[in-house]
Amino acid sequence: MALGRRDSLALLTDLYQFTMAYGYWRAGRQREPAEFELFFRRCPFQGGFALSAGLGECLAFLRGFRLREPEIEYLQSVLPSTMEKAFFDYLRTVDASEITVSSAPEGSIVFATVPLLQVKGPLLVVQLLETTLLSLVNYASLVATNAARFRMLAGPDKKLLELGLRRAQGPDGGLSASKYSYIGGFDWTSNVLAGNLYGIPVRGTVAHSYVMSFTSLAEVQPKVRVPAGDEPVDFLPLAETWLRQVCQTLQVPYDRVNHGELAAFISYAIAFPHNFYGLVDTYSIMGSGVPNFCAVALALNQLGYHAVGIRVDSGDLGKQAREIRQVLRTCSANFQVPWFATIPIAVSNDVSERSLEELMQEGNEIDIIGIGTNLVTCPLQPSLGCVYKVTSSLKLTEDEEKMTIPVSKANVCLRFLAGLAFMDLMALEEEPPPRAGQEVAVLLLGRSEVARRVTPTAVEILHRTYFKDGQVCQALPSLLEIKSHAQASLSMLSPAHKRLQDPEPYQVAVTEKLHFLLSDLSRSSQ
Amino acid sequence: MALGRRDSLALLTDLYQFTMAYGYWRAGRQREPAEFELFFRRCPFQGGFALSAGLGECLAFLRGFRLREPEIEYLQSVLPSTMEKAFFDYLRTVDASEITVSSAPEGSIVFATVPLLQVKGPLLVVQLLETTLLSLVNYASLVATNAARFRMLAGPDKKLLELGLRRAQGPDGGLSASKYSYIGGFDWTSNVLAGNLYGIPVRGTVAHSYVMSFTSLAEVQPKVRVPAGDEPVDFLPLAETWLRQVCQTLQVPYDRVNHGELAAFISYAIAFPHNFYGLVDTYSIMGSGVPNFCAVALALNQLGYHAVGIRVDSGDLGKQAREIRQVLRTCSANFQVPWFATIPIAVSNDVSERSLEELMQEGNEIDIIGIGTNLVTCPLQPSLGCVYKVTSSLKLTEDEEKMTIPVSKANVCLRFLAGLAFMDLMALEEEPPPRAGQEVAVLLLGRSEVARRVTPTAVEILHRTYFKDGQVCQALPSLLEIKSHAQASLSMLSPAHKRLQDPEPYQVAVTEKLHFLLSDLSRSSQ
């Protein structure tokens, strides 16, 4: 837990940033103007889009960026002792006051090659920012995109609960997962600290350990009563009476029902009469958990309280939810309790994209889905793989995969719409900006050397300047606003691009002028 | 970046821990003695072992565990308003002063089902600790184990450099990755903050962006001189002279060599004459990068400096390393510079377990391997999936996978050795402890109902008490000591169990007495 000791993230970077900074400084190039772009080369999860996220944290990092004395001393201790002292004096003066950052608003849909961030400023500083910016954007965007995919699969009505804290990369991995899953479309988190820090709605029910900690009805303190109006009622005998009726109705042997489980449910109901939740799969779901739940919920109902949910955490979730719903309907009809039929059913059990897809296809009676491991660890692609590349030059390696699309300095990123978004265009700043209704010649990246003509009905300037002169220069949205923007941004994308498998690739293009510039650069570097 | 604001991790938990805590408190059970065990059900990566890690952070968390006033207020704001105020007063008094934790030393090899941590204390507190302990142990142990697998593949001599910061789950994910990769067997990290906080040796070279930022020799300030003894020397013409000789020797066309790259190398050599490193794959490796590197390194050699390394970051690493080594040997022989043939070659390019295995099989000339994404994201299994289960009771669900091996309170974990470790045994505290050289009857978990007799030549008590009465009660080892212990611990495991694929399962057993107790518990819960 190094966290509390960190006032600054200036050292949260790769060592080579400092050796390279020294190289620039030694060559007198530290203040040379530079521009870097942060982008990914392929959309994650073999999908057709990503959600950009992490901008707010990048801006906070930039605002506080400077090297403090103990950090300088540490650097001196690990860098070659032959380095000139004056370099470290220079590092003492470095901050982000000459840095300019532009970006699409956080939560926007973004595509391969189009920059998520453009960072301009003195070469040495822009270089030093690389790793931290990547660290703040990569996972944030990845998990937000993953969450958006789960949301698309689940449809708009299911409630999605993030519960990945224990499976994330330590405390801060868990916090990032909660924050950016919320942006991507989750409703709630189980992570209390994420709720406290970010205002995300928190939810929680009950775990197997609670149920298992009760072994007999003797552990229910009978003196505890449910306050139902003026007349306190002994709840234990009431629940037992209901259990006999439920068992008869459901044709479940009364003596096979687990009494520790019943004790746990009764205790929880006494503690939370307004918020009773039952976890029904500790022993036998249909032979014990569900009858116990129904008995306690019906006993509470008699006192005027409505149970808020029933939870299953193992097995075939779709099948069990249907069976549970059937039981709830039977009790509802039999005991004439209409609301009973619609008690929310919550499920969790290693839910993945694939298992959620199956659940949704087969029809289900599920209302709330808790997702942990497969949300936060993004097993389909555990890293977004963003890169941070200088744009004033060109890299053409023998490895085609790593060829950078070089973009001249001061480029402009636009989004073309015709009802929906259909193309992102990178242009030079000196070009007259394309306008809505006007035809423009573009070259699709990676598809053709021949220009094609498109006519957008609307043109959106994708990037805004978020950081300038050491200050954040846009009003930053709340997390809820970012979440809303993400859903609005996704709604501008055609279902063909949003398909989780084999999506139609979204078009990313450059203007003819930029294309020729790139070709020139490419030739001159050979 | 919420990190700086966190004085306590007490809220870094799932909300249901607090609802359950209220349930216990409401039933008067908050001070009931409880024991939980933290363990995993299957070894990660389909392997035969794991390294336990995270204990030190768990102990630090426990030492500081208490709920501060703003945290209590937040909890009151999100929990049901019907909860009694007295519960929150009780929470104000809660800390870890009555908690006892025992564990194997951090860095020990551990196996499925055998607890990594045993946590005893008042039921309410032990329950509240669950999620945070899981969060601190799960990823730490996973990535340490992953690092150990890479180390086994690479053999003892290669240097392994962790460079996953930009691909981890945000800042703290990156720090955890660096720390626990080091424990697992890596030599160095690129993460400066990890170096600063944990004392891990940091290493760094140079990136493509540095090379690309130079476009011509004009950018090398000729006034910069290399201090070689008394006589400063203009380095640029010297390097150019060497480049002509190298090109001739290697039969590379002089005019095809990239001048920006040469300028970058010269600048770096001027900055770090004692520590010159070349990244040779920005343009053409054999047609530009390697000749430029050799020229600059030979020029430095003439002034009395030895280059420290050559780096490739793309393509077929094994093949390239062999070709580069051949060139280094050619130059060594041709220019009569013996040390030149053994310049360390460093590689990185999405190195995975599989690609490293291939590299090692085909024989290679690689000295240093940098691993990022596939180390820190653990794509073969991105979560260890540890659980935290009450041991005083029993959970038998319909889902066999989730059946808990219940162990009575106060159990003892032993390791049997016969030269190497061959069995972990769980026993009851009241049983006479098995002794070296004595036969003991055991039942292998998950394999047989029939007892077998084994005679260990040595018996190790696996768990020590690390936390008691609110205090850490063992001298805690340094990170380097934990790393050494991990390697020593691994050396006690047979190669058959260490195989990365299809390992022979290590034996985990219980004593007859414990076996009968479990059988009784199992029957009584049905």
Side-chain angles (χ1 to χ4, degrees):
Chain A
M1 274 173 313
L3 314 181
R5 295 170 56 188
R6 266 187 278 157
D7 296 315
S8 145
L9 294 185
L11 286 192
L12 189 81
T13 186
D14 294 306
L15 185 67
Y16 72 5
Q17 308 295 0
F18 291 104
T19 54
M20 290 190 282
Y22 183 65
Y24 292 137
W25 178 82
R26 200 69 176 69
R29 300 182 59 204
Q30 66 276 12
R31 295 195 48 76
E32 206 171 272
E35 177 173 342
F36 278 60
E37 293 182 344
L38 191 154
F39 60 93
F40 53 86
R41 293 192 173 101
R42 264 170 303 176
C43 290
F45 315 120
Q46 302 190 305
F49 72 93
L51 286 181
S52 74
L55 176 61
E57 293 197 67
C58 289
L59 298 172
F61 159 63
L62 290 171
R63 220 162 27 200
F65 179 73
R66 65 183 189 82
L67 287 152
R68 285 154 183 80
E69 200 48 40
E71 296 168 332
I72 299 273
E73 283 165 20
Y74 174 72
L75 285 172
Q76 282 184 298
S77 76
V78 293
L79 288 167
S81 57
T82 50
M83 284 167 65
E84 293 181 32
K85 291 276 174 292
F87 170 69
F88 296 100
D89 292 335
Y90 186 76
L91 281 187
R92 288 180 173 93
T93 69
V94 161
D95 60 24
S97 57
E98 293 178 78
I99 295 293
T100 302
V101 173
S102 65
S103 168
E106 188 161 5
S108 298
I109 48 170
V110 285
F111 304 96
T113 314
V114 184
L116 276 74
L117 297 181
Q118 291 175 297
V119 183
K120 293 184 212 179
L123 178 58
L124 183 146
V125 184
V126 175
Q127 180 78 61
L128 280 183
L129 302 174
E130 174 177 19
T131 310
T132 321
L133 293 178
L134 283 170
S135 165
L136 294 172
V137 167
N138 255 332
Y139 178 67
S141 301
L142 185 75
V143 76
T145 307
N146 202 24
R149 290 167 65 94
F150 277 110
R151 168 54 70 198
M152 291 195 300
L153 273 174
D157 299 328
K158 308 274 184 208
K159 292 293 183 185
L160 293 178
L161 167 63
E162 178 273 317
L163 32 76
L165 174 55
R166 60 187 68 186
R167 306 296 168 84
Q169 288 179 8
D172 195 56
L175 280 175
S176 301
S178 302
K179 180 174 181 178
Y180 295 109
S181 297
Y182 182 66
I183 286 180
F186 272 56
D187 298 285
W188 306 320
T189 180
S190 68
N191 181 340
V192 184
L193 189 57
N196 189 11
L197 293 174
Y198 308 128
I200 303 171
V202 286
R203 287 291 183 281
T205 56
V206 62
H208 295 118
S209 57
Y210 183 85
V211 178
M212 289 163 68
S213 81
F214 289 83
T215 53
S216 82
L217 291 170
E219 286 154 333
V220 180
Q221 297 207 3
K223 68 174 186 294
V224 182
R225 290 150 191 257
V226 174
D230 307 314
E231 201 72 25
V233 177
D234 258 348
F235 193 67
L236 176 54
L238 187 66
E240 283 186 301
T241 307
W242 272 105
L243 182 57
R244 286 185 193 278
Q245 288 183 262
V246 167
C247 282
Q248 200 167 18
T249 303
L250 302 179
Q251 296 186 295
V252 170
Y254 179 80
D255 55 0
R256 295 293 295 277
V257 168
N258 188 294
H259 280 197
E261 188 181 52
L262 179 62
F265 288 4
I266 290 173
S267 284
Y268 200 80
I270 289 169
F272 295 103
H274 297 273
N275 303 82
F276 175 59
Y277 227 109
L279 172 66
V280 295
D281 65 342
T282 305
Y283 306 104
S284 162
I285 296 178
M286 298 311 290
S288 182
V290 175
N292 275 331
F293 171 83
C294 290
V296 173
L298 286 163
L300 279 175
N301 175 66
Q302 190 180 324
L303 304 176
Y305 301 111
H306 289 193
V308 296
I310 182 164
R311 175 172 177 228
V312 183
D313 183 41
S314 57
D316 181 337
L317 303 176
K319 177 165 167 283
Q320 287 166 175
R322 282 192 300 275
E323 289 172 2
I324 290 169
R325 182 67 69 208
Q326 194 47 54
V327 169
L328 296 177
R329 288 198 181 111
T330 301
C331 289
S332 171
N334 206 58
F335 304 113
Q336 294 166 338
V337 185
W339 67 268
F340 213 82
T342 57
I343 292 177
I345 298 177
V347 302
S348 55
N349 179 25
D350 207 23
V351 171
S352 65
E353 239 181 51
R354 188 172 187 169
S355 70
L356 182 56
E357 195 167 14
E358 284 168 12
L359 265 187
M360 298 305 296
Q361 279 167 355
E362 69 195 17
N364 64 67
E365 294 287 351
I366 295 166
D367 302 283
I368 299 160
I369 304 165
I371 310 181
T373 310
N374 293 305
L375 174 63
V376 307
T377 69
C378 303
L380 296 181
Q381 183 182 324
S383 166
L384 180 54
C386 276
V387 294
Y388 182 83
K389 293 288 173 191
V390 63
T391 55
S392 45
S393 182
L394 179 72
K395 176 179 183 288
L396 279 181
T397 67
E398 290 163 353
D399 184 352
E400 279 296 308
E401 256 295 285
K402 290 195 176 173
M403 197 190 90
T404 298
I405 305 296
V407 187
S408 148
K409 285 182 190 177
N411 64 317
V412 173
C413 298
L414 302 164
R415 180 159 291 167
F416 284 180
L417 302 100
L420 299 175
F422 70 92
M423 179 181 286
D424 280 10
L425 181 73
M426 291 181 278
L428 293 169
E429 202 163 47
E430 70 248 32
E431 296 185 85
R435 290 200 195 144
Q438 282 186 351
E439 196 178 69
V440 54
V442 303
L443 286 110
L444 292 181
L445 281 182
R447 300 221 212 155
S448 161
E449 289 295 301
V450 183
R452 48 175 293 189
R453 296 184 168 276
V454 294
T455 309
T457 57
V459 176
E460 206 176 76
I461 297 175
L462 201 57
H463 279 206
R464 303 175 194 172
T465 301
Y466 275 91
F467 193 86
K468 201 167 185 177
D469 302 329
Q471 298 298 325
V472 177
C473 54
Q474 296 269 344
L476 290 185
S478 69
L479 210 60
L480 187 59
E481 288 165 339
I482 296 171
K483 179 188 174 78
S484 303
H485 174 66
Q487 290 307 313
S489 190
L490 276 166
S491 72
M492 298 305 293
L493 192 61
S494 143
H497 302 310
K498 281 193 282 197
R499 269 200 308 267
L500 300 191
Q501 276 97 39
D502 298 315
E504 191 180 295
Y506 183 85
Q507 300 179 109
V508 174
V510 294
T511 57
E512 278 188 304
K513 199 157 182 179
L514 180 52
H515 174 76
F516 292 134
L517 178 72
L518 300 183
S519 305
D520 284 353
L521 278 169
S522 172
R523 264 191 302 278
S524 71
S525 81
Q526 278 163 5
Chain B
M1 273 175 310
L3 314 181
R5 294 169 56 188
R6 267 187 276 158
D7 295 316
S8 144
L9 293 185
L11 287 193
L12 190 81
T13 186
D14 294 305
L15 185 66
Y16 72 5
Q17 308 294 2
F18 291 105
T19 54
M20 290 190 283
Y22 183 66
Y24 294 135
W25 178 83
R26 199 72 175 70
R29 300 183 58 205
Q30 67 276 10
R31 296 194 47 76
E32 206 172 273
E35 178 173 342
F36 278 59
E37 292 183 343
L38 193 155
F39 61 93
F40 53 85
R41 293 191 172 102
R42 263 169 304 177
C43 290
F45 315 121
Q46 303 191 302
F49 72 93
L51 286 181
S52 74
L55 176 62
E57 293 198 68
C58 290
L59 298 173
F61 159 64
L62 289 171
R63 221 162 25 203
F65 179 72
R66 64 183 189 84
L67 288 154
R68 286 154 182 80
E69 199 48 40
E71 296 169 332
I72 299 274
E73 282 164 21
Y74 174 72
L75 284 173
Q76 282 184 299
S77 76
V78 293
L79 287 166
S81 58
T82 50
M83 283 166 67
E84 292 181 34
K85 293 273 172 291
F87 170 69
F88 296 100
D89 291 336
Y90 187 75
L91 281 188
R92 288 180 173 93
T93 69
V94 161
D95 60 22
S97 57
E98 295 178 77
I99 294 292
T100 302
V101 173
S102 65
S103 168
E106 188 160 6
S108 297
I109 47 168
V110 285
F111 303 96
T113 314
V114 184
L116 277 75
L117 297 182
Q118 290 176 297
V119 184
K120 294 183 209 179
L123 178 58
L124 182 146
V125 184
V126 175
Q127 179 78 62
L128 281 183
L129 301 174
E130 173 177 20
T131 310
T132 320
L133 293 178
L134 284 170
S135 165
L136 293 172
V137 167
N138 254 331
Y139 178 67
S141 301
L142 184 75
V143 76
T145 307
N146 202 26
R149 290 167 66 93
F150 277 110
R151 168 54 71 198
M152 291 194 301
L153 274 174
D157 299 328
K158 308 274 183 206
K159 292 292 182 186
L160 294 178
L161 167 63
E162 179 274 317
L163 34 74
L165 175 55
R166 61 188 67 186
R167 305 296 167 85
Q169 289 179 9
D172 195 56
L175 280 176
S176 300
S178 302
K179 180 173 181 178
Y180 295 109
S181 297
Y182 182 66
I183 286 179
F186 272 54
D187 298 286
W188 305 321
T189 179
S190 69
N191 180 342
V192 185
L193 190 56
N196 190 9
L197 293 174
Y198 309 128
I200 303 171
V202 287
R203 286 293 182 281
T205 55
V206 62
H208 294 118
S209 57
Y210 182 85
V211 179
M212 290 163 67
S213 80
F214 289 83
T215 53
S216 83
L217 291 169
E219 287 153 333
V220 180
Q221 297 207 3
K223 68 174 186 296
V224 182
R225 290 152 191 257
V226 175
D230 307 314
E231 201 73 26
V233 177
D234 258 348
F235 193 67
L236 177 55
L238 188 66
E240 283 186 301
T241 308
W242 273 105
L243 183 58
R244 288 186 191 277
Q245 290 183 260
V246 167
C247 284
Q248 200 167 18
T249 304
L250 302 179
Q251 297 184 294
V252 169
Y254 179 82
D255 54 0
R256 295 291 296 277
V257 169
N258 188 292
H259 280 197
E261 188 181 50
L262 180 61
F265 289 5
I266 291 173
S267 284
Y268 200 82
I270 289 170
F272 296 103
H274 296 271
N275 302 81
F276 175 58
Y277 227 110
L279 172 65
V280 295
D281 65 341
T282 306
Y283 307 104
S284 162
I285 295 177
M286 298 311 291
S288 183
V290 175
N292 274 331
F293 171 84
C294 291
V296 174
L298 287 163
L300 280 175
N301 176 65
Q302 190 181 325
L303 304 176
Y305 300 110
H306 289 193
V308 295
I310 183 166
R311 175 172 177 227
V312 183
D313 183 41
S314 56
D316 181 335
L317 303 175
K319 178 166 166 282
Q320 287 166 175
R322 283 191 300 274
E323 289 172 2
I324 290 168
R325 181 68 68 208
Q326 195 47 54
V327 169
L328 297 177
R329 289 195 182 113
T330 302
C331 289
S332 171
N334 205 60
F335 303 113
Q336 294 168 337
V337 185
W339 67 268
F340 213 83
T342 58
I343 292 177
I345 299 177
V347 301
S348 56
N349 180 25
D350 206 23
V351 172
S352 64
E353 240 182 49
R354 189 174 187 165
S355 70
L356 182 56
E357 195 167 15
E358 284 168 13
L359 266 186
M360 297 306 295
Q361 278 167 355
E362 70 194 15
N364 64 66
E365 294 288 352
I366 294 166
D367 303 283
I368 299 161
I369 304 165
I371 309 181
T373 310
N374 292 305
L375 175 62
V376 306
T377 70
C378 303
L380 296 181
Q381 183 181 324
S383 166
L384 179 53
C386 278
V387 293
Y388 182 83
K389 293 289 174 191
V390 63
T391 56
S392 45
S393 180
L394 179 72
K395 175 178 183 289
L396 278 181
T397 67
E398 289 162 355
D399 184 351
E400 279 296 307
E401 257 294 285
K402 289 196 175 174
M403 197 189 92
T404 297
I405 305 295
V407 186
S408 148
K409 285 182 191 178
N411 65 316
V412 174
C413 298
L414 303 164
R415 181 160 291 168
F416 284 180
L417 301 101
L420 298 176
F422 70 92
M423 180 181 288
D424 280 10
L425 180 73
M426 292 181 277
L428 292 170
E429 204 164 45
E430 71 247 33
E431 297 185 84
R435 290 199 194 144
Q438 283 186 350
E439 194 179 70
V440 54
V442 303
L443 285 109
L444 291 182
L445 281 181
R447 301 221 212 154
S448 161
E449 289 294 301
V450 183
R452 47 175 293 187
R453 297 183 167 276
V454 294
T455 308
T457 58
V459 176
E460 207 177 74
I461 297 175
L462 202 56
H463 279 206
R464 302 176 194 171
T465 301
Y466 275 91
F467 194 86
K468 201 167 184 178
D469 302 329
Q471 298 298 326
V472 176
C473 52
Q474 296 270 343
L476 289 185
S478 70
L479 210 60
L480 187 59
E481 287 164 339
I482 296 171
K483 179 188 174 77
S484 303
H485 173 65
Q487 291 306 314
S489 191
L490 276 166
S491 72
M492 296 307 291
L493 191 61
S494 143
H497 302 309
K498 281 193 282 196
R499 271 201 307 268
L500 300 190
Q501 277 96 39
D502 298 315
E504 191 180 295
Y506 182 85
Q507 301 179 108
V508 174
V510 294
T511 56
E512 278 188 305
K513 198 157 182 179
L514 180 51
H515 174 75
F516 291 134
L517 178 72
L518 299 183
S519 304
D520 285 352
L521 278 169
S522 171
R523 265 192 301 278
S524 71
S525 81
Q526 277 164 7

